[in-house]
Amino acid sequence: MVAIASVVENTCGFKSLISELYHIVFFGKCRCSELNWLSFSHGEKILNGSQLYTYTVCNVGEHEQDNWLRTTFIQRRPSASRVFVELQFIVRDCNSFDGSSLTCKETFNLFSSESDADIGTSFRKGQFKKVATIAPDEITSRNELRINTETRVVESLSRKGFYLAFQDIGACMALLSVRVYYKTCPATVKSLAAFPETVAGGGVNQALREVAGACAKNAVSEESPRIYCTMDGEWVVPVGQCQCMPGYEAVNDTCRDCQPGFFKAFVSNDACELCPVNTKQLSSGALLCLCAEDFYRAPDDPTTGPCSGLPSAPRELVATTTQLAAGKLQLSWSPPEDTGGRSDISYSVECRRCEGTACQPCGEKVRLEPASSGLMDTRVEVSELEPHLNYTFTVEAHSGVSLFASQGAPRSNRPPSTSTLTTALHYTDPPKVTSMRLDERSLTSLSLSWAVAPRRPMPQSTRYKLTYRKKDDNLDVTTYTVLILEKSSVQISDLSPGTAYLFRVQALSPEGSPGGSSIEDEFETLTEGKEDGHISAVGGAAMLMIVVVVLLIRKRSATNSFPPPQPLPLKTYVDPHTYEDPNMAILKFASEIHPSHVTKQKVIGAGEFGEVYRGILKAPGRKEGAVAIKTLKPGYSEKQRQDFLSEASIMGQFSHQNIIRLEGVVTKFKHAMIVTEYMENGALDKYLKDRDGEMPSFQLVGMMHGIAAGMKYLSDMSYVHRDLAARNILVNNNLECKVSDFGLSRVLEDDPEGTYTTSGGKIPIRWTAPEAIAYRKFTSASDVWSFGIVMWEVMAFGERPYWDMSNCEVMKAINEAFRLPAPMDCPSAVYQLMLQCWLQDRSKRPRFPDIVSLLDKLLRSPESLKAIADFDPRVSIRLPSTSGSDGSPFRSVSEWLESIKMSQYSENFTCAGVVTMDQVLQMKNVDIKNIGVRLPGHLKRIAYSILGLKDQTSTLSVFAV
Ligand code: AMP
C-alpha cells in the first residue's frame, strides 16, 4: 500500500497538516472562511489525551448548506488507476442540538475531479464527480467524541492527477485526516523467476494485471514466466517454471553451482547428484563426472552412470586334448577376477602358430568353434591343429568398454585383459614300426623298407633310426652302424656277401628320442653265384640319410646292444677365396637362374654394387614367388663382379630359418644378379624406427632370439660375420629376422658405417669389439659384441648406438670401460645380457648357443621380462634432450621436438598453446597426454626428455659400468 496523501495529527491544523503533500483549499460563500469550513488551528480538541487538529463545519441551524473543501492537485503514478481514500472524521449527533437542528445532516459527500495539470485555486463544482456519500458509523454526542474511519475507492483514473473534494450539506463535522494511496504487489521471486513491484489491479475495470518475469541467473524456462497481480496487491497464478541449468541447483530462489564431487546433467530443479563410482572428482559446477583414468563408459552407458574398468585377464586358461588324432583340443578358462563392474563380458581367442620364435596367425587352417570372437561361454573347441607345432592361444576378455578403451586411450596401470597359453599336440610316442621287409638284395647290399601303424594325422615327417650289425654271436666287440633316416626305406651297400645282418628300426620323436617300440629282423646278402635277378645298383635307391654314425661298442648281449643316438655334426663354411677360380665356388654353392625367369618390379634399395629390386622369380619346377634381386652396375671390373658374386657363394652355403636364403644367381649373362628370398619389411633398423615405442618387449626379444639363432648357426659353421648390425638384418612379413649381408668386401666397401682404422681396414666402429678394432681379431666372440649392440638397437627402436658421439669418442669411452646405458623400458635380464656381450675379455662373453638358450628361456617365461633395467633419461636421450646441437639451450619447441625425433607432435604443442621452452618445462605427464600424445613410448620419450632438460648437469659418465 502506498500513500499518496495523508492527513494526520499535526500541530498546525488541517491545512498545514497536509502541507507536506497536498494543501486543502477552502471554497464557498462562508464569511469567516471561504466555504464555511473552519480551521481549528487553535480550537484544539482533546481525544484520549491527544490533541486533534481538524477542518470543521457546523452550520446546523442554517438552510441550504453547500460547503466545499478541496485538496491540492494529487499527481498520479501512471499505472495507479485505482486509488484508495481513507478518511478520518467526526460527525455530531443532530439530536444533540436542541431546537436549532431542523436542517441538521449527519453525512457529507466525497467528490473527485481528474486533470492533466494543477489548476491552482480555480474551482468549479461542475468538474467534480461524486464518489460516495460518507456516513459515520458512530456519531459524536455532546460528551463523547467518536472518530470514524472510512475508505473509498476512486477508480478508472487515467489523467495525470486529480483533486478530491468534500461537500458538506449541513452536518456538524470535523475532518481529521485524508490519506490517499494505491496498492502494489511487491517485487518478488517465485519459482526462480523474479517479478518487479507492480501496481495492483489491471487497467480500467480489470481485476488482474499480468506481469512478465525473468528467470534468475543460471535458470531457464521453456515458457517465459508470468504471474498476475490482484487488485488487493497479491500475486496469484504463476505460469512457466524456471529451472536451474545443468551444473546448478536451486537453493533459496537462486541457482547455485553444484558442489565439488556433485553434478547435474540436465535442466531441472533437482538437487545436484553425487558423482558416480570410478569418476573424477571435478571442481564445482560439473555437468557430468568424467571417468577416472583407466575407466570408461561404453557408448550406450548413461553419461550420468558409473564408469567401468576393463576386465582383467581370463583366468586358469587350460588346453585339453580331446581328439589327438583329429587334431582337436578344447580351450577353457574362468571368467576374469575383475569384470570392471560390468556384466557384458565376452571373449575372443586368437591363435598363432609358432615355429621357433616366429609366430604367425593360424589363419583359416585352424577352426575355432563356436567362434573366435564374441564368445559368451568360457570355452572354445579348436580343431585342425597340426601335431608337434606350437600354437599360442591368446584369450582376451572384452566388455562394452573394451573397444572404447582401445581407441588411443592411455594404458597406465591397467591390468592386461589377455591370457596366453602356448601348447602343442604332441604324440607322446613316435609312430610304431610294425613290419620290416627285404625289397632287394645283392652280394653287397640290402634294400629294406618298413611299415608303421597308421594314424591320423600322420606326423609331418618321421625320422627313423636304423641300427645294424653282422649277426656274429661269437664276437666280443661288435661294430654297429646307426643310420638316421627320413624315409621308411633304405638301401645299404658295402656289405659282405653271404652274410646275415641283424637290423633294428625304430621311429624317432620330433625331438630325436627313440620311440619305445622297435622291430628287429635278420637279412642276408647274396652268396656269390646265387645272385637275385632284380638286384639294383648300389646307391640306386633314394636313401635320405642324415648321418651315419659308426660306433664301436663293447657288449656281450647281441640282442640288446644298440647305442643311443649321437648329436649330428654340422658342416663348416668354406671361404670362397680358397677356390682358385671364384666362379667354381659360385657354381658349387649357387644355382644358376635364367634371367628370363626373373622379373624386376621396383627398386627397394641401393647396394654397393648396384640397385636392389623387388621382383618375381618364375622358374620351371619352382613355386613362383617374390624375391629380392641384387644387380651389378654396368661398367664393373672382373674383380668387382667376383666380389659381388662372392656374397652368393657364401649365402648359398647356408640353410637356416634366420639366414637370408639364396634362390640363385645369374652369372652367365651380361647383367649378373643375386636372387634371394624377399623380406617384406626391409632392414630392421628402419623397421624399428618406424615403430618407436609401439612393440612390446616380448616381441623385441623374439626378434633378438631369431637373430641369435641365425648367428649361432653361422658360428657353428665357423663363419664370422664382422658386420652384424640392425641395418644388416632383414625382416619379413611374419616379423622373422634374418641375417644378411655376406659379401667378402662388404665391410671394406659396402657399409657406410665402415671407417678406416689405423691398421688400414674399414670397420663399423660402434658395432665392433675392441680387439677387432685394435688388432683385427674378428671371431664369433667379436660377433657376440656386435650382437649386444644389435640387442641395444632393437630395444632402443633403431636408435643410433652412442647417438652422435664421434667414433673417436666411442672408442675412448669403451676403453675407459663405459658402456651404452639401458634403453628405455629394457627388461633387466636383456640389459644384463648386453653387458655380458660387451665384456672386454672376449673369452668371458657368452657364446651364441648360450645367448639363444637364455633368450629362449626369457621368452618361455614372459614374467622374467617384467623387471625393467634402470633407465636414466639424462644419458639415454642425453645429447638431444639437454641442449641444442651446438650445446646451447633449445631455442624453440620445434627444435627440441626434432632433437628427440618427435617432430610429429609439433602441431599438438602449438595448438595447446605450448610455444616456449619455459612452458615445456612446466608440463606434467598428464599435460603431455592431454595435448594428444597417446603412444606410451612417445609419451615416455617426451616426458623423460623434459626431465633431462630440467637437470642439465648430467654427463656421459653416468653410464659407466
Ligand atoms: P644390401 O646391399 O644387402 O645392404 O641391401 C640394400 C637394401 O636393400 C637393404 O637395406 C634393404 O632395404 C633392401 N634389401 C636387400 N635385400 C633385401 C631382401 N632380401 N628383401 C627386402 N629388401 C632387401
Side-chain angles (χ1 to χ4, degrees):
M1 183 167 77
V2 172
I4 297 177
S6 65
V7 184
V8 287
E9 300 104 309
N10 193 291
T11 51
C12 305
F14 207 158
K15 189 173 179 181
S16 54
L17 260 179
I18 56 169
S19 64
E20 264 180 275
L21 299 163
Y22 307 101
H23 294 283
I24 287 193
V25 184
F26 296 89
F27 301 97
K29 41 187 182 168
C30 175
R31 272 166 286 135
C32 45
S33 65
E34 290 97 329
L35 289 169
N36 281 345
W37 289 70
L38 293 176
S39 169
F40 272 84
S41 53
H42 42 83
E44 64 265 26
K45 295 181 190 296
I46 304 293
L47 176 71
N48 297 338
S50 309
Q51 262 188 329
L52 293 179
Y53 296 89
T54 61
Y55 280 100
T56 63
V57 64
C58 193
N59 301 330
V60 291
E62 296 171 37
H63 291 278
E64 293 176 34
Q65 290 300 302
D66 187 20
N67 307 311
W68 288 80
L69 183 66
R70 194 207 73 181
T71 63
T72 50
F73 187 61
I74 303 170
Q75 271 199 328
R76 187 179 69 89
R77 181 172 160 174
S79 53
S81 56
R82 208 176 126 83
V83 299
F84 295 80
V85 179
E86 183 198 88
L87 305 172
Q88 280 192 309
F89 59 93
I90 299 163
V91 177
R92 177 85 181 264
D93 183 358
C94 281
N95 293 329
S96 62
F97 301 105
D98 6 302
S100 59
S101 60
L102 287 177
T103 57
C104 178
K105 297 277 186 315
E106 287 180 352
T107 60
F108 65 97
N109 296 321
L110 171 66
F111 282 81
S112 73
S113 168
E114 283 197 88
S115 167
D116 280 325
D118 189 345
I119 51 169
T121 53
S122 79
F123 173 73
R124 278 191 287 133
K125 279 194 245 172
Q127 288 173 329
F128 281 82
K129 277 195 301 190
K130 183 167 171 183
V131 178
T133 298
I134 313 289
D137 288 337
E138 293 183 279
I139 46 177
T140 296
S141 63
R142 195 182 282 269
N143 353 328
E144 211 179 343
L145 203 63
R146 301 260 182 187
I147 298 176
N148 290 279
T149 305
E150 291 287 331
T151 303
R152 294 292 180 273
V153 178
V154 183
E155 281 184 307
S156 308
L157 296 172
S158 59
R159 300 174 74 173
K160 287 203 174 140
F162 61 94
Y163 294 95
L164 293 175
F166 308 92
Q167 181 197 30
D168 166 58
I169 45 168
C172 180
M173 63 168 292
L175 193 55
L176 274 66
S177 83
V178 178
R179 205 157 67 91
V180 182
Y181 59 87
Y182 61 88
K183 288 186 184 173
T184 61
C185 290
T188 187
V189 177
K190 285 198 188 304
S191 306
L192 292 174
F195 299 96
E197 183 192 49
T198 303
V199 175
V204 179
N205 296 328
Q206 276 183 311
L208 296 176
R209 184 187 292 272
E210 184 179 317
V211 181
C215 285
K217 198 173 164 207
N218 299 318
V220 286
S221 76
E222 276 176 23
E223 212 183 319
S224 58
R226 281 171 294 134
I227 197 167
Y228 295 90
C229 179
T230 66
M231 284 200 295
D232 290 330
E234 275 168 21
W235 293 112
V236 292
V237 202
V239 181
Q241 256 224 335
C242 292
Q243 295 182 313
C244 288
M245 295 201 295
Y248 296 91
E249 61 188 344
V251 175
N252 297 336
D253 282 330
T254 58
C255 291
R256 178 185 80 171
D257 286 10
C258 290
Q259 300 299 294
F262 288 78
F263 77 104
K264 205 187 88 184
F266 307 106
V267 171
S268 77
N269 278 339
D270 297 342
C272 297
E273 286 177 59
L274 196 62
C275 281
V277 289
N278 301 329
T279 57
K280 286 181 194 162
Q281 300 278 308
L282 296 177
S283 51
S284 56
L287 315 190
L288 284 175
C289 303
L290 298 179
C291 290
E293 194 174 356
D294 291 342
F295 291 93
Y296 311 89
R297 287 190 182 102
D300 292 342
D301 289 351
T303 49
T304 51
C307 298
S308 32
L310 287 182
S312 58
R315 291 169 302 147
E316 296 147 16
L317 174 60
V318 286
T320 326
T321 307
T322 47
Q323 278 174 272
L324 180 69
K328 273 193 180 177
L329 56 79
Q330 189 187 62
L331 288 180
S332 57
W333 57 91
S334 304
E337 193 167 289
D338 176 10
T339 60
R342 303 185 70 88
S343 55
D344 55 352
I345 302 291
S346 67
Y347 306 93
S348 66
V349 179
E350 193 203 358
C351 168
R352 285 181 309 142
R353 207 176 78 167
C354 300
E355 276 173 275
T357 50
C359 294
Q360 61 187 57
C362 299
E364 286 175 4
K365 271 192 210 153
V366 170
R367 293 227 320 260
L368 295 168
E369 280 175 290
S372 60
S373 61
L375 293 163
M376 308 308 281
D377 215 357
T378 56
R379 77 173 68 94
V380 72
E381 201 77 47
V382 189
S383 55
E384 314 279 330
L385 294 171
E386 285 184 40
H388 304 302
L389 278 184
N390 274 342
Y391 288 92
T392 299
F393 294 99
T394 305
V395 181
E396 183 164 9
H398 303 267
S399 72
V401 297
S402 299
L403 185 68
F404 189 60
S406 67
Q407 288 169 358
R411 292 182 78 103
S412 54
N413 299 323
R414 201 191 298 161
S417 298
T418 56
S419 267
T420 298
L421 171 83
T422 299
T423 187
L425 283 182
H426 282 299
Y427 291 107
T428 44
D429 48 64
K432 194 172 169 191
V433 178
T434 50
S435 62
M436 207 190 313
R437 61 176 201 158
L438 177 68
D439 293 332
E440 285 178 2
R441 61 179 177 156
S442 72
L443 291 173
T444 55
S445 73
L446 292 168
S447 287
L448 308 176
S449 62
W450 50 93
V452 290
R455 67 181 182 192
R456 258 205 82 241
M458 269 307 281
Q460 267 182 329
S461 60
T462 306
R463 294 187 300 165
Y464 302 93
K465 188 178 83 174
L466 180 85
T467 317
Y468 67 91
R469 63 176 175 83
K470 273 186 186 163
K471 188 186 170 195
D472 186 348
D473 291 339
N474 303 325
L475 269 184
D476 221 13
V477 175
T478 308
T479 303
Y480 298 98
T481 303
V482 181
L483 302 178
I484 307 293
L485 302 158
E486 287 190 338
K487 269 186 158 184
S488 56
S489 60
V490 68
Q491 185 187 52
I492 301 159
S493 40
D494 294 332
L495 302 177
S496 310
T499 310
Y501 287 86
L502 271 177
F503 292 89
R504 171 183 277 193
V505 70
Q506 210 172 3
L508 297 179
S509 73
E511 295 78 35
S513 52
S517 52
S518 64
I519 191 159
E520 260 183 75
D521 221 330
E522 183 186 323
F523 301 103
E524 200 179 324
T525 47
L526 284 179
T527 318
E528 241 150 320
K530 286 175 136 198
E531 286 177 37
D532 283 1
H534 58 281
I535 218 74
S536 60
V538 169
M543 182 176 81
L544 279 175
M545 189 170 73
I546 292 183
V547 66
V548 180
V549 186
V550 179
L551 300 150
L552 288 170
I553 309 168
R554 257 172 209 283
K555 271 281 176 189
R556 285 195 187 278
S557 161
T559 50
N560 188 18
S561 53
F562 292 102
Q566 294 298 299
L568 313 177
L570 273 168
K571 290 195 294 183
T572 304
Y573 153 78
V574 181
D575 185 344
H577 273 147
T578 55
Y579 284 74
E580 216 166 286
D581 177 2
N583 292 320
M584 287 305 293
I586 294 169
L587 261 182
K588 185 165 166 53
F589 297 122
S591 60
E592 182 71 23
I593 294 174
H594 193 278
S596 65
H597 297 149
V598 181
T599 317
K600 288 185 238 158
Q601 290 177 318
K602 185 184 160 205
V603 176
I604 51 169
E608 146 76 8
F609 294 100
E611 276 88 29
V612 182
Y613 293 83
R614 186 191 68 200
I616 300 286
L617 174 64
K618 199 173 173 183
R622 284 203 208 200
K623 209 171 137 208
E624 178 180 329
V627 285
I629 304 153
K630 283 192 177 186
T631 58
L632 180 59
K633 287 193 271 243
Y636 50 82
S637 65
E638 181 53 27
K639 161 92 174 54
Q640 281 172 322
R641 183 175 175 278
Q642 283 174 9
D643 281 348
F644 170 71
L645 290 172
S646 69
E647 177 167 18
S649 11
I650 296 170
M651 221 190 288
Q653 297 184 45
F654 305 139
S655 165
H656 189 270
Q657 177 92 350
N658 299 102
I659 306 290
I660 198 85
R661 187 180 67 245
L662 177 72
E663 298 289 358
V665 284
V666 176
T667 60
K668 300 198 173 133
F669 293 82
K670 191 170 160 217
H671 299 293
M673 295 181 223
I674 298 176
V675 182
T676 66
E677 67 179 305
Y678 178 62
M679 300 292 281
E680 294 84 352
N681 280 313
L684 176 63
D685 58 339
K686 169 140 195 326
Y687 177 82
L688 291 170
K689 275 180 203 155
D690 294 345
R691 285 155 189 82
D692 193 352
E694 292 172 26
M695 294 168 72
S697 297
F698 185 83
Q699 211 165 10
L700 298 175
V701 175
M703 291 178 125
M704 284 178 208
H705 180 272
I707 303 166
M711 289 309 295
K712 171 183 175 300
Y713 175 84
L714 295 182
S715 68
D716 283 347
M717 286 192 70
S718 310
Y719 177 81
V720 179
H721 191 287
R722 297 179 179 219
D723 195 10
L724 178 57
R727 65 184 168 278
N728 289 330
I729 304 292
L730 293 170
V731 186
N732 70 10
N733 250 349
N734 299 330
L735 302 195
E736 281 174 314
C737 288
K738 306 201 181 195
V739 181
S740 82
D741 238 19
F742 298 102
L744 276 183
S745 62
R746 72 202 182 282
V747 181
L748 292 175
E749 315 287 347
D750 196 11
D751 193 333
E753 283 293 346
T755 307
Y756 287 103
T757 62
T758 44
S759 54
K762 219 177 164 195
I763 286 176
I765 297 292
R766 44 199 87 219
W767 282 265
T768 307
E771 73 276 5
I773 298 175
Y775 47 97
R776 305 189 61 73
K777 183 75 189 163
F778 284 98
T779 59
S780 287
S782 65
D783 275 353
V784 164
W785 177 291
S786 312
F787 180 76
I789 303 289
V790 172
M791 287 175 73
W792 190 92
E793 290 182 277
V794 170
M795 291 314 304
F797 289 96
E799 178 70 88
R800 182 170 165 74
Y802 311 97
W803 305 277
D804 49 2
M805 287 166 72
S806 70
N807 280 343
C808 198
E809 283 174 320
V810 171
M811 287 193 285
K812 189 164 172 289
I814 294 297
N815 280 338
E816 288 168 8
F818 294 120
R819 296 293 182 267
L820 280 167
M824 205 187 298
D825 281 342
C826 178
S828 197
V830 173
Y831 184 55
Q832 285 311 313
L833 179 58
M834 287 181 208
L835 292 175
Q836 294 287 307
C837 295
W838 301 328
L839 288 175
Q840 185 71 26
D841 181 348
R842 69 174 187 277
S843 67
K844 298 215 167 99
R845 293 174 205 154
R847 284 154 216 277
F848 281 114
D850 308 325
I851 296 174
V852 173
S853 64
L854 184 94
L855 292 174
D856 193 52
K857 233 191 248 167
L858 295 181
L859 289 170
R860 277 174 202 275
S861 54
E863 287 295 308
S864 60
L865 298 175
K866 288 222 169 118
I868 301 298
D870 283 346
F871 169 76
D872 189 331
R874 293 162 302 184
V875 291
S876 286
I877 25 181
R878 179 187 63 97
L879 295 166
S881 70
T882 52
S883 61
S885 50
D886 57 357
S888 60
F890 290 111
R891 278 176 297 269
S892 67
V893 177
S894 57
E895 187 185 290
W896 162 66
L897 284 172
E898 200 176 321
S899 80
I900 56 170
K901 301 201 191 98
M902 292 282 112
S903 290
Q904 66 266 46
Y905 294 110
S906 266
E907 216 175 293
N908 300 49
F909 278 78
T910 317
C911 291
V914 180
V915 289
T916 66
M917 286 309 289
D918 277 347
Q919 287 173 298
V920 167
L921 286 174
Q922 302 303 317
M923 288 180 91
K924 304 211 165 48
N925 287 7
V926 59
D927 304 325
I928 306 168
K929 226 188 255 181
N930 284 345
I931 68 167
V933 181
R934 294 273 180 243
L935 293 174
H938 294 183
L939 198 73
K940 276 191 197 161
R941 179 176 275 261
I942 292 172
Y944 282 139
S945 171
I946 293 176
L947 247 173
L949 284 169
K950 286 183 182 160
D951 181 3
Q952 302 219 355
T953 57
S954 60
T955 63
L956 182 62
S957 60
V958 179
F959 65 86
V961 279

